[in-house]
Amino acid sequence: MTVDDTTSGAGDESRPEPSVHPTPHHAVDHTAEPTHDPLAIRLEQLILGADRRYTPFQAARTAGVSMDLASRFWRAMGFADIGQARALTEADVLALRRLAGLVEAGLLSEPMAIQVARSTGQTTARLAEWQIDSFLEGLTEPPEPGMTRTEVTYPLVELLLPELQEFLVYVWRRQLAAATGRVVQAADDEEMVDRRLAVGFADLVGFTRLTRRLEEEELGELVEAFETTAADLVAAHGGRLIKTLGDEVLYCADDAGTAAEIALRLIEVMSRDETMPALRVGIAFGTVTTRMGDVFGTTVNLASRLTSIAPKNAVLVDGAFAEELTRTGDAPASEAQAAEQAAAAERERREGLEPTALPTYRYGLQPMWQRPVRGLGVVEPWLLARRGTS
């Protein structure tokens, strides 16, 4: 599959090379175009561990991959087209060989390999941007008067790079193990893609008005505090954070009880912070399609709609979610039923009998007025609360 390195290099410059025509895409724009900034070049060599050596055509040919497939891989990873600039390294060639090798061995189809490239590129692009904007930006402030950022950045990156790399691989392996465990526990092959999950949206109320009132720095701090708190609570209570959208977070859980606990914890924690706006949460339970770490389907849409009509600092759930809480014994079918059970136990106690053990309900459900929900027909939401607070 590979081509001997002697097929690339100086001898290729006289050979006509096909140009790579840019196509519209929505990936993060990571250009690899040559720069004349000496520090930028040194940093790139440090991070990539190699010098620029190949044009895109040379890299594709050295990897034994067609130019068309190489271009699709690069664009999927989020890298901009660079024409035929000599900007690629041995690492780029190796990455092409690996992806193409997975396809050639039959381990991945070509569309799946493209998806692997895209999901990896999008995830790591956001991570890299965050690390530069929020981490390195602050650390590279000159520690002493007279020192330039240039004098600080290179040694700092040199020290951080191996540690961050090892930590990234560790977290990825941990996440991969957790995701694999969920898949192998699925009841059948269809459940691996279309699964029954609880899906929750948490939304800051009045965020648009806040954007007009707060300074950019204050708004950024508020959003970061909200996302950090939400991510910590979702993880701590056994849910999975799907994505954050500034004033909104989307999470899911394998069971209704976990999703309910996360929602109520979010309300309780956020309401104690005077700097935070009110929060509202909507949860639905049902079949969900998972793709590239995201979730889709009617259940997700319903959860989003419930969030938009939820009262401030309250949680609305759909009928299927309410039924699931009742089925698992986390909530009574009705408050009347719970009252009857308590009254029966009290009568037994008065008669000197061993009272029947009362179910331990964690949550209460209050039916709300039926209402039409755009695109989903008429739904009957339920107000979720902790027992004794509904």
Side-chain angles (χ1 to χ4, degrees):
M1 174 180 146
T2 61
V3 179
D4 190 278
D5 284 348
T6 57
T7 60
S8 62
D12 292 321
E13 294 180 7
S14 60
R15 182 182 297 229
E17 298 171 345
S19 60
V20 181
H21 300 287
T23 57
H25 59 85
H26 302 287
V28 179
D29 181 11
H30 291 272
T31 61
E33 294 179 2
T35 174
H36 298 295
D37 186 329
L39 176 61
I41 293 174
R42 288 180 61 217
L43 281 170
E44 180 186 278
Q45 291 172 342
L46 170 65
I47 294 169
L48 298 180
D51 296 331
R52 293 173 172 182
R53 177 178 177 185
Y54 301 105
T55 67
F57 175 71
Q58 291 169 346
R61 190 172 63 179
T62 303
V65 177
S66 72
M67 191 65 237
D68 176 67
L69 183 59
S71 296
R72 280 186 285 150
F73 279 150
W74 282 318
R75 289 168 188 167
M77 285 185 280
F79 300 120
D81 295 315
I82 58 171
Q84 285 305 314
R86 190 181 294 275
L88 303 182
T89 71
E90 290 289 350
D92 297 298
V93 172
L94 181 58
L96 287 177
R97 284 176 180 163
R98 283 176 170 156
L99 275 176
L102 292 172
V103 175
E104 189 177 87
L107 295 173
L108 294 178
S109 65
E110 190 171 301
M112 181 58 68
I114 296 293
Q115 283 193 356
V116 168
R118 180 169 291 111
S119 61
T120 306
Q122 289 177 355
T123 302
T124 54
R126 184 179 180 187
L127 174 63
E129 291 290 343
W130 181 89
Q131 288 175 331
I132 293 299
D133 291 343
S134 303
F135 186 45
L136 291 178
E137 189 74 17
L139 287 179
T140 53
E141 289 297 328
E144 297 180 10
M147 289 189 69
T148 65
R149 180 172 296 248
T150 300
E151 294 171 320
V152 176
T153 302
Y154 189 93
L156 181 63
V157 171
E158 191 172 28
L159 289 171
L160 285 174
L161 185 62
E163 301 304 323
L164 291 178
Q165 177 176 307
E166 290 298 322
F167 186 70
L168 174 62
V169 172
Y170 155 73
V171 175
W172 171 71
R173 284 181 177 272
R174 267 288 176 189
Q175 294 286 6
L176 190 63
T180 304
R182 290 193 294 270
V183 168
V184 298
Q185 291 175 37
D188 50 45
D189 289 343
E190 288 187 6
E191 192 179 332
M192 291 170 62
V193 177
D194 297 316
R195 308 168 57 193
R196 286 179 62 78
L197 297 173
V199 178
F201 276 93
D203 177 60
L204 292 175
V205 180
F207 185 77
T208 303
R209 291 193 299 274
L210 276 176
T211 61
R212 303 191 192 105
R213 195 174 79 238
L214 296 180
E215 297 290 336
E216 287 186 6
E217 185 174 348
E218 293 177 305
L219 191 64
E221 290 174 355
L222 184 145
V223 169
E224 184 175 357
F226 169 57
E227 292 184 349
T228 299
T229 301
D232 287 348
L233 286 172
V234 169
H237 294 282
R240 295 188 296 284
L241 187 69
I242 302 300
K243 58 187 172 185
T244 60
L245 304 169
D247 62 331
E248 190 173 59
V249 297
L250 169 61
Y251 72 92
C252 68
D254 293 327
D255 62 272
T258 297
E261 184 64 26
I262 290 169
L264 293 171
R265 290 275 184 175
L266 282 169
I267 297 289
E268 292 160 359
V269 171
M270 294 295 181
S271 63
R272 291 198 294 264
D273 187 342
E274 295 181 355
T275 66
M276 280 288 170
L279 190 70
R280 55 191 176 189
V281 183
I283 318 176
F285 187 86
T287 301
V288 174
T289 298
T290 59
R291 289 286 188 280
M292 292 177 64
D294 208 342
V295 291
F296 308 92
T298 302
T299 303
V300 180
N301 295 337
L302 180 53
S304 177
R305 298 288 190 274
L306 288 170
T307 306
S308 66
I309 62 175
K312 292 181 179 180
N313 288 327
V315 183
L316 280 189
V317 304
D318 73 328
F321 187 90
E323 289 178 7
E324 187 66 12
L325 277 185
T326 301
R327 185 189 68 80
T328 57
D330 285 312
S334 67
E335 290 302 317
Q337 179 197 60
E340 288 176 4
Q341 291 170 337
E346 178 61 20
R347 284 195 301 271
E348 291 173 348
R349 187 186 65 78
R350 288 176 179 175
E351 294 171 0
L353 302 175
E354 183 69 27
T356 303
L358 290 175
T360 305
Y361 297 123
R362 295 194 291 165
Y363 311 110
L365 292 163
Q366 176 185 336
M368 308 292 283
W369 292 105
Q370 290 186 350
R371 65 190 72 189
V373 175
R374 181 167 51 88
L376 296 170
V378 177
V379 299
E380 182 182 6
W382 296 71
L383 186 67
L384 174 74
R386 294 198 185 281
R387 285 287 286 139
T389 62
S390 58

